[in-house]
Amino acid sequence: MKINRRIAMLIVVAIIVTLVGTIFAGCKGAVEKAVTEAIEEAVEEVEEAVEAEEEAPAEEVAEEEAPAEEAAGGVFRIYIHEPVTLDPANCYESEGIQVARQVFDVLVKYDIETLETVPAVAESWDISDDGLVYTFYLKKGVTFHSGREVVAGDFAYAWTRLTLAETASYLAYHAAPIVGYDECQEGTADTLTGVKALDDYTLEVTLQYPFADFIKTLGHVCFFPVAKEDVDEYGDLYAEHINGNGAFKFVEWKHDQYINLVRNDDYWGENAKLDEVEYKIFADEDTAFLEFKAGNLEYTAIPQGKVNATVEDADLGGLVIMKPQLAIYYFAMNVQNPPFKDNLALREAVNYAIDRQNICDVINEGVSVPATGFVPPGIPGFQEGAMKYTYDPEIAKQKLEEAGYPGGEGLEPIKFGINVGSGHEMIAEAMQADLKDIGIDIEIIGMEWGTALEAFQNGEISFFRLGWGADYPIMDNFLYPLFHSESSDNYSGYVNLEVDELLVEARKTADDDEREAKYREIEKIILDDAAFALVYFYGIRRIVQPYVKGFALSNMENYDLSKVWLEK
Amino acid sequence: MDISKNNKILEVKNLKTFFYTDAGVVKAVDGISFDLKFGETLGIVGETGSGKSVTALSILRLIPQPPGKIVDGEILFDGKDLLKVSNRELQNYRGNRISMIFQDPMTSLNPVYTIGNQIMESITIHRKLKKKDIIKESLKLLEMVEIPEPMKRLNNYPHEFSGGMRQRVMIAMAIANSPSILIADEPTTALDVTIQAQILELMESVKIKTNSSIIIITHDLGVVAKYASRVMVMYAGKPVEFSTVNNIFYRPLHPYTMGLMESITRLDEEKKEELKPIKGSPPSLMDLPEGCIFRVRCKYAIDKCRKKYPPLIEAIKGHKVACHRAYEFLKGNLKNID
Amino acid sequence: MENISEIDELTTEKKYSRSSLYKDAWRRLRRNKLAMLGLAIVIILILIAIFAPLIAPYDPIERIKKDSSLSPGKAYFFGTDLLGRDIFSRVIYGSRISIEVGIVAVGISVVIGLFFGALSGYFGGISDIAIMRMADIFFAFPYILGAIAIMTVLGPGIVNIFIAIGILGWASFARIFRGSILSIKNKEYIEAARALGANNYRIITKHIFPNSMAPIIVYATMNVGVAIIVEAALSFLGLGVQPPTPSWGKMLAESLDYIDIAPWMMLFPGLAIVITVLGFVLLGDGLRDAFDPKLK
Amino acid sequence: MFFYIIKRILQVIPVIIGVTLILFLLMYVIPEDPARLILQKGATEEALQNLRVKMGIDKPLYVQYWRYMTQLAKGDLGTSYRYRRPVDSILADHYPNSIKLAIAAILIEIIIGLVAGIISAVKKYSFWDILVTVSTTLAVCIPVFWLGMMMQVVFGLKLGWLPMSGMGDGSLRYYILPAVTLASVSTAFVARMTRSSMLEVMSNDYITTAYAKGLSQFKVIGKHALKNALIPVVTLIGLDLGALMGGAILTETVFSWPGVGRTIYLAILQRDAPVVIGGTLVLVLIFVFINLIVDVTYAWLDPRIRYEKKEVNV
């Protein structure tokens, strides 16, 4: 009797606590739900405690047998980290992007294998002779999941929304070449004048200057069509009610738990085979990997440090996906601040001191390859051996002496910033040891990602790691955002007016070969300035269950789940 | 109840209860023997630490164990050795055939239950009655111990009662099942003088009503004189003298008892004072001297007392004493030594 | 985690004179086998920390690039980590960090706690109420969240870890000291001292302080263990000691990811933490029992 | 009792003011520009300034504080800088999960902690007592996240008995590992405190009385000793419920549990002031509230405490 009263007491406490929690959270709708949930939960816990043991095994058997009957269909479960948002206008990190790509389709797509730009919602397009005006002819019968047809106006709306100051999108700059962009950003205009819906199926885009790679940029998430009525209805909460035109429909985003998608049976293309896609949210990839091993995920990342063990594993070895990724890992030195300011020799010393091969082999277990330049292989225009710096501690020591710090004498310990988690600590420690060998002391400062970016940007920390992955597979994407003095992604304070000029010039160059040559030249100039110590080109380390068929991964880590089926 | 031949309801033989502490073995009770007759009130008298309470607790095996342990002896209740019965069986004796009243009514009642709950509990354990009857019975008990407004009082908590009232509640609980023996361990020590008399009168009347025997443990010789028929005097865990009240009071044969008697006249008006009638203090129970344990405080001590502990012998019929010189006292030879 | 009633119990004043209190306590402590085990662990740990350079076969931050991720063997007793550093040497040197964290952080707690406890208990009134409410808030707020918040404001670094852990621990010491003061404050000898013209400072330092040291010693000993655990937790969250300093918490946190493929990496620093904390906890328990055998 | 509760509820107000003030100052100390945090890339100084004005963060701290408090009075906790969602919806997503986990942990504490403590006290110096003492001592010495990950690998991966992470379908199985991890240290404390509290209670006269009545040992312990011994334990458990909710960061991280501790922790790292302040405020309120319940529970456990009388008399 005593125990029952105590449990009753706890249930009461639970209810009241839940009440208080939700009332103060001001979410009146959630109050009832939370209370009932809490009661149910508490009651269940007590009741089920007894039954749990008997029930559990029975459940497992049922789970394993059921899907075997249906060959097509099934649920595809993928590890992701909690995305910041799923709103295409603001999907700036890989987590939100991979979900949005399954839910939305844009004018053009990147082929998973070749990364060629192929038409999607746009059937075809014309480009004016001066390269300024693009006219897109849209497919008919492409509908949003809400049932309404996707029309040219939806693109015009979405792109305007992307560039408006009030949206405060990190991605707006992708639309920078379009006429009216500056006005929208400054808040002086409320429409992006360069984008016009001539009729429901014709979209006209006018650029400020000829941008030869423009079409190739349009596969980016930020150009996805958004229905105005959805934004009007949900406002701040739009990200939890995204309504796209892709092969999968968005169902629910349970924060820090999962994001659910189901097959869109009214898809304009070929319908997907999977019934559902479940993005399972984990705090870190190690936990996800354990879940994969336990058979609870179809696709996940292999955590740093476990690649070799996985490849050598009899069961898992054959499931590993390893391929080069269009991304670069680098250490940036802020040339506006001491000790790097006006000290090329010091920056070169750092460049020569880093044992890139060791980092790639030991920490990254051979998944990545030492960087040879900014532009990774796989991007058209890639040049072999663009960078002259190799691992040579002797030269590094000489350079350090040249820099005025023989043997590191007189040089204060340099703060090095990383974002915590994701395995950057080990790389930082390896680099720290490398620099220690030539006499430079490094103090590693771990920060949360957003905070870290802020500290890099305001110059609080002058030496830090960053990575850059391709938004679209062109050279410009590795050079313009990182090194143009006015680009907001230029965290290192790198200013070279010659480079600025050349970057703009290259964009305007219509001829592919000529343009590539210009970009190669720019890359060389930047490398000579040594404001960066390039480390490696990323490699993809992923793993997929053996019964997953039709799954392909691009060098940009994109995948298209509409072609995937499960065979088990 | 079958009263055995010699009219003894309880017989304690050679009881030894020791406490095993870090510092050593404390022989709190070391070879006590006595008997209790049907309907009689037996007094056990001694200084603090003489082993009176431990004796009482040992009878119902209430010694905290560890560190305490009853190492030897027999406790025959109605012919049955309570030291040999199982725990379960023992529970049938406790509170039913033998009850106890404790020294401090302030701490003897559980503070978190109503007194009604605690009285009813005493009944419920030993008798199968309907709830209604239990309440009726409880009210009757409260009336018997003269608590006004018993109905209302049932729902009160101990802290809402005065000390005297609480002791009445304790008595009510003790007599709930009309026990054969009521053991009262210094029942009035913690109470005011006026209340003391009331409680003792109450016990006496209850004893008559319920037809029970009482063992009253006290250091108050006045109480013993008034209520007990026989008295056992204890010193340092051992019995030193055991006889009728008259013998003890008018013809004590042990120097310790003599000292106690002298102190009554000296301290008559200050009864609350702790009993310390004789110069010096009792020996440490951990480190008892050889020979007679009282000899260091004894003005009659002789050489023999140093060598051998005097056994408890029946000096004359119905008067046991443990002193080498008892016969000399009996003959009156030593009357005026000082 | 605070054991509040234990604190209250610790504050009850002893009747023994001071010197006999400590002598008796030592006598009881010596008989307590577990406490002596704890003491032995602590002493050995201190010796290891002092003589780390003599014991450790390798430089704790030196990498042997070719020997990365080796399992325990002849050359490396505890194996090597991912960067090829000798885990045994790192564990040996790690004792220095752990002892530093434990002692310095708890030292800070004690100093702050004594100051506010004295203010609160001796002067009473508004300062008492304010300080005790403040202590309540510190008790109420989840320890680890508090540590994170302070670390965020101060930034990472070992000194800041001392400060964060130190600041968070003051409340229990303030309570203990306040309790001691309240129970001693009105004793005759304090009255006598006051009558003889002793000032507040003198009364606190000469009379109250020595008499309330026992519970503080006990609690401080136990808190050293807590501080070592908190350091490990902060490291796990990436807020701990910065590399390449060999701290057990950091080593454990870094190696936990490889628990399924290289369990030796996390085993040794983990065991080092557990054994050390165990040493301080056992010693603390023993001291408590020794100072106040009633509580056992 | 009624007036007592009212009084206690009114006492919450200064606590709210104190806590928000401290948090405001704390977030102010951190040199961070929320406008920059929101715009981050590609923002012009004008755009930043516009946003600052819109958010009101161009004003002095006291104006901002007043603004926050007036909005709070209306039940508005503001919008997250990072997730751009209303703070209340973020909290509503995570608090129920934390509460459920905390309750599961508390149940473990109560069931295992109390039983172990009682057995340990009743069978003092027995094998079981030693087992409990050893395991509770060890539980305090093992870092929580280490314990959690080892259980994850052993029970989840190697043996496959229990799910390793997340809440899954919300069934009990998902609660076991995180709840045990979360409860480990507290259970040890509850067991130790129950033991010492029981031992103290068992030496009381009324326990002897209960035995003398003829009660079985089971009943004496279950009825007479336990209720008295529970009083300090209830305080510990009550204090713990609050701490388990906000302090479960390590457990939530190891088991990817969608709780509020990790949310606040990340918000601190991300300088997401509205989430930090809102989340912590709710935490403090829950704490204050639980304290109230603990005090009321006292009155139930110990009739000597009757709050309304205290109010009248004092």
Side-chain angles (χ1 to χ4, degrees), chain A residues 13 39 54 58 129 242 250 268-269 304 444:
Chain A
V13 175
I39 297 171
E54 303 144 32
D129 292 343
I242 51 169
F250 171 82
W268 59 270
Q304 187 190 46
I444 298 170

Side-chain angles (χ1 to χ4, degrees), chain A residues 16 25 90 240 256 291 451 488, chain D residues 42 85 88 94 165 269 289:
Chain A
I16 299 170
N90 230 334
E240 279 151 69
D256 285 313
E291 292 281 9
T451 322
S488 56
Chain D
R85 287 202 291 145
D88 50 20
H94 294 92
S165 64
L269 295 188
F289 201 81

Side-chain angles (χ1 to χ4, degrees), chain A residues 293 306 355 429 434 444, chain C residues 65 85 242 254 257 260:
Chain A
K293 281 188 180 177
K306 293 190 182 177
D355 188 350
E429 280 186 59
D434 285 337
I444 298 170
Chain C
K65 282 185 188 172
R85 296 176 298 204
Q242 294 300 309
E254 276 181 356
D257 289 343
D260 52 339

Side-chain angles (χ1 to χ4, degrees), chain A residues 286 289-290 293 304-306 309 355 358 362-363 391 420 425-426 429-430 432-434 437 442 444-446, chain C residues 61 63 65 68 81-85 90 156 236-239 242-244 250 254 256-261:
Chain A
D286 293 286
F289 188 59
L290 294 181
K293 281 188 180 177
Q304 187 190 46
K306 293 190 182 177
D355 188 350
N358 178 53
V362 172
I363 298 168
Y391 172 53
V420 289
E425 284 90 346
M426 294 308 283
E429 280 186 59
Q432 183 182 42
D434 285 337
D437 288 345
I442 296 295
I444 298 170
I445 312 268
Chain C
I61 57 173
R63 301 171 298 167
K65 282 185 188 172
S68 100
D81 67 6
L82 204 58
L83 291 178
R85 296 176 298 204
R90 287 177 72 73
F236 178 70
L237 294 172
L239 297 169
Q242 294 300 309
K250 185 85 189 162
E254 276 181 356
L256 264 181
D257 289 343
Y258 311 120
I259 187 167
D260 52 339
I261 58 168

Side-chain angles (χ1 to χ4, degrees), chain D residues 290-304:
Chain D
I290 290 170
N291 259 352
L292 181 59
I293 291 180
V294 166
D295 285 351
V296 174
T297 315
Y298 273 171
W300 171 64
L301 284 173
D302 189 348
R304 283 164 296 187

